[in-house]
Amino acid sequence: MADLKNTPATVRWGMMDAAMSFVAPRAAARRYTARVTISNLRRGYEAAARGRGTSGWKAESKGADAEIAAAGATLRDRMRDLVRNNPVAAQAVQVLVNNIVGTGIRPRAASADPALNKRVDALWKAWSARCDAHGHTDFHGVLGLAVREMIEGGEVFAIARVRRRENARDLPLRIELREADHLDSARFDSRNNGTRISQGIETDRDGQRTAYWMFPDHPGDNSPIFGRRLESVRIPADRVAHLFERQRVQSRGVPWGTPAMRAIRDVDDWQTAELVRKKTEACLVGIVFGADEDQQSIAPVVEDGAGNRIEQFEPGLIAYARGGKDIKFNQPTSTAGVYEWHRTQLHIIAAGFRVPYALMTGDLSQANFSSTRAGLNEFRRMIEQIQWHTVIPMFCEPIWRWFIAIAQTQGLLPEGEILAEWGPPKFESVNPLQDTQADLLEVRAGFSTVPQQIARRGYDLDEVLAEWADFASKVDAAGLVFDSDPRKVTKAGLVQTTDPRSPAGGDEN
């Protein structure tokens, strides 16, 4: 009977059940079993229950594209405003860009022919340095801006532009970035052949994207209206790379900080109200009271045209009551728990942006080495997931295919598929010595290769090897031996050979 205390009220053992259990135990058991079964059937998800507790909770079963079509433009505008004017939002976006892109996600040709790989890598290096259609930066700069646009605006488009060749080895391919506003989201159509246009994205009868309808000029540009091209133009899908994060089965993206936008706005309003209150309190120093009939107010008085006094405050104000001679100073009030409340709100904002609180705010007062490292591990998993599941397949790989195709068209590369192996930037280490030892063990165990480790650090394999060879030849010519030279000195600091060209292994003695 004691176990029944925790059962719901609708199935508790009542007096009638107890009485029946003495007269007809089996009938009492069947009665109780039936009541439990009925109670279980009535149960469901509490979050889906209807009542006073959820009366203000309105949720609709709209499709993701329908919700984005209704709110996407407003979300973009508000997020851009926050990033422009709110330091917390600006830092959160910058932290995400720093970790996803860093110094760049670098490709290496991965064909079966080493000589071909070397040609492709050299051609990519020369082309990527001037691939920006606007001429401002290189491929890594274009990638960084694209990821920033995806985080801040929800999505971004890369357009392949073919221009006139400057020389025989020049690739006429350039990459133009366009913001989400360029897409003609008001264009909808359904045709008899099965093709459809939804929010400016054209698909065939199988749902594959075939084209994008875009405005050549940004609709929000301040240039004269007669100089802007406001008629959307069809661009084939094979010339467009659409970068956005898919959180549902959707065709477009939304800003990453959407869950935190209300919280940021509320904190801004609270800070403004608190600042105004403090300024108002600081303006009034004191008030003079008393019974001197001849003493008049000497505080600044402002009157309008009708002679009515206009009340005002100014820094250092001492107000005189009529006939006053006894002064009482103003005591500004203190607000308890402001720091704790503000820190809690910043934690909520950091969660909405999916960045660690310490990285967004720079506040390490509540962190130690272990907690920082454990928190960064989960953040890095999220970053790697975005790199490999979103940025590389949706942006990097299409540009690589454009690069290979145009190089083959120009006769600079042989026909056939040439794949790329991408190397995202390496995360900065909290314990460099320990992590470097782990990388060395990975290479020696065969879990990774030296080229992969070099690429993760943001360097080019061929450049590193060429620099090493040049350095080694100069050192050998000078007759010098350094502890950092693995050809001559072991990890333990023992000399392993006196001739760098001799077979490896063991001292000559």
Side-chain angles (χ1 to χ4, degrees):
M1 297 288 290
D3 295 338
L4 300 177
K5 292 181 179 180
N6 297 325
T7 60
T10 55
V11 292
R12 285 179 183 172
W13 194 265
M15 295 180 60
M16 182 177 294
D17 298 313
M20 185 178 292
S21 65
F22 290 104
V23 179
R26 293 183 180 179
R30 288 195 299 269
R31 171 187 170 89
Y32 183 75
T33 302
R35 290 172 62 188
V36 171
T37 302
I38 294 174
S39 176
N40 290 335
L41 291 175
R42 290 177 177 176
R43 293 179 185 178
Y45 291 102
E46 293 183 0
R50 298 181 183 274
R52 295 175 59 186
T54 58
S55 59
W57 191 344
K58 297 181 180 180
E60 299 179 356
S61 56
K62 288 184 178 180
D65 289 336
E67 293 180 345
I68 295 173
T74 303
L75 292 176
R76 287 196 303 270
D77 295 341
R78 290 180 177 178
M79 179 54 64
R80 289 167 181 168
D81 179 75
L82 289 175
V83 173
R84 285 194 300 266
N85 299 294
N86 186 279
V88 174
Q91 177 65 8
V93 172
Q94 188 62 52
V95 167
L96 290 168
V97 175
N98 291 346
N99 284 271
I100 295 175
V101 180
T103 57
I105 301 178
R106 302 175 183 274
R108 291 188 298 120
S111 71
D113 185 355
L116 177 60
N117 292 340
K118 189 173 181 179
R119 286 175 54 192
V120 175
D121 292 341
L123 193 61
W124 170 270
K125 180 180 178 180
W127 171 80
S128 62
R130 55 180 185 274
C131 68
D132 184 8
H134 298 105
H136 298 306
T137 183
D138 59 1
F139 171 76
H140 307 298
V142 172
L143 176 60
L145 179 58
V147 171
R148 175 179 290 276
E149 288 283 354
M150 175 187 67
I151 296 170
E152 182 178 333
E155 57 189 343
V156 68
F157 300 92
I159 312 296
R161 295 295 186 191
V162 179
R163 298 183 175 180
R164 182 179 302 176
R165 299 178 64 180
E166 298 178 0
N167 53 65
R169 293 191 58 82
D170 175 55
L171 291 181
L173 175 66
R174 295 295 182 269
I175 306 301
E176 176 189 353
L177 292 185
R178 288 187 177 181
E179 293 184 334
D181 309 76
H182 282 269
L183 190 65
D184 187 358
S185 58
R187 182 179 285 270
F188 290 84
D189 193 9
S190 181
R191 300 166 183 169
N192 294 331
N193 59 359
T195 62
R196 300 178 60 188
I197 301 177
S198 177
Q199 299 189 63
I201 301 176
E202 181 180 323
T203 57
D204 60 17
R205 62 192 309 166
D206 296 325
Q208 296 293 322
R209 300 190 180 196
T210 56
Y212 295 83
W213 291 83
M214 293 188 179
F215 301 112
D217 297 324
H218 196 292
D221 194 356
N222 288 330
S223 60
I225 189 171
F226 298 106
R228 282 184 288 166
R229 294 166 291 178
L230 299 179
E231 183 68 25
S232 58
V233 178
R234 185 180 187 273
I235 302 178
D238 57 3
R239 291 176 49 201
V240 180
H242 186 191
L243 177 61
F244 67 99
E245 184 190 18
R246 300 182 66 195
Q247 296 182 339
R248 293 178 61 185
V249 181
Q250 61 196 71
S251 301
R252 303 188 64 182
V254 295
W256 281 31
T258 297
M261 290 173 65
R262 284 289 300 273
I264 297 175
R265 186 71 173 179
D266 291 342
V267 171
D268 269 350
D269 293 342
W270 170 80
Q271 289 176 336
T272 301
E274 186 70 16
L275 183 61
V276 170
R277 185 178 70 86
K278 290 294 185 182
K279 285 184 176 180
T280 304
E281 290 180 345
C283 284
L284 184 61
V285 176
I287 303 176
V288 178
F289 297 92
D292 187 353
E293 296 296 337
D294 297 329
Q295 188 159 10
Q296 302 294 324
S297 174
I298 61 174
V301 176
V302 179
E303 296 180 348
D304 59 16
N308 299 317
R309 178 175 296 184
I310 300 175
E311 302 295 340
Q312 67 174 18
F313 283 99
E314 65 180 24
L317 173 66
I318 298 179
Y320 282 81
R322 182 175 296 276
K325 64 179 181 180
D326 183 22
I327 186 169
K328 292 185 178 181
F329 291 98
N330 181 37
Q331 299 293 332
T333 60
S334 61
T335 305
V338 171
Y339 176 73
E340 290 76 10
W341 182 88
H342 193 207
R343 187 173 60 192
T344 301
Q345 297 303 310
L346 291 179
H347 274 287
I348 295 173
I349 294 171
F353 270 103
R354 292 176 281 174
V355 298
Y357 165 82
L359 296 184
M360 187 185 74
T361 63
D363 179 15
L364 300 174
S365 60
Q366 306 297 319
N368 54 40
F369 178 81
S370 299
S371 63
T372 299
R373 192 162 191 177
L376 288 178
N377 285 340
E378 183 61 30
F379 177 64
R380 289 172 176 176
R381 290 191 189 97
M382 187 269 290
I383 293 297
E384 289 179 341
Q385 188 247 352
I386 294 297
Q387 289 171 338
W388 288 105
H389 296 172
T390 301
V391 177
I392 291 177
M394 299 180 71
F395 189 86
C396 297
E397 283 289 352
I399 293 180
W400 176 266
R401 291 193 294 268
W402 297 341
F403 160 75
I404 294 297
I406 198 70
Q408 292 173 340
T409 302
Q410 300 295 321
L412 300 176
L413 292 177
E415 295 295 328
E417 186 180 31
I418 302 177
L419 301 178
E421 183 179 284
W422 297 90
K426 181 180 176 62
F427 290 108
E428 294 295 331
S429 175
V430 180
N431 190 337
L433 176 60
Q434 189 178 37
D435 290 344
T436 301
Q437 291 173 340
D439 292 341
L440 180 60
L441 291 176
E442 281 189 4
V443 174
R444 295 185 65 86
F447 298 150
S448 64
T449 64
V450 173
Q452 289 176 342
Q453 295 294 339
I454 292 175
R456 288 174 58 188
R457 286 161 172 79
Y459 300 111
D460 182 82
L461 173 65
D462 294 333
E463 292 181 355
V464 172
L465 294 180
E467 189 171 347
W468 244 113
D470 181 64
F471 170 75
S473 63
K474 292 180 180 179
V475 169
D476 294 341
L480 301 175
V481 176
F482 294 100
D483 287 347
S484 59
D485 191 345
R487 304 172 304 153
K488 300 180 180 180
V489 182
T490 64
K491 181 181 177 182
L494 302 177
V495 177
Q496 60 181 356
T497 179
T498 57
D499 185 1
R501 295 165 296 180
S502 64
D507 296 338
E508 289 192 345
N509 296 330

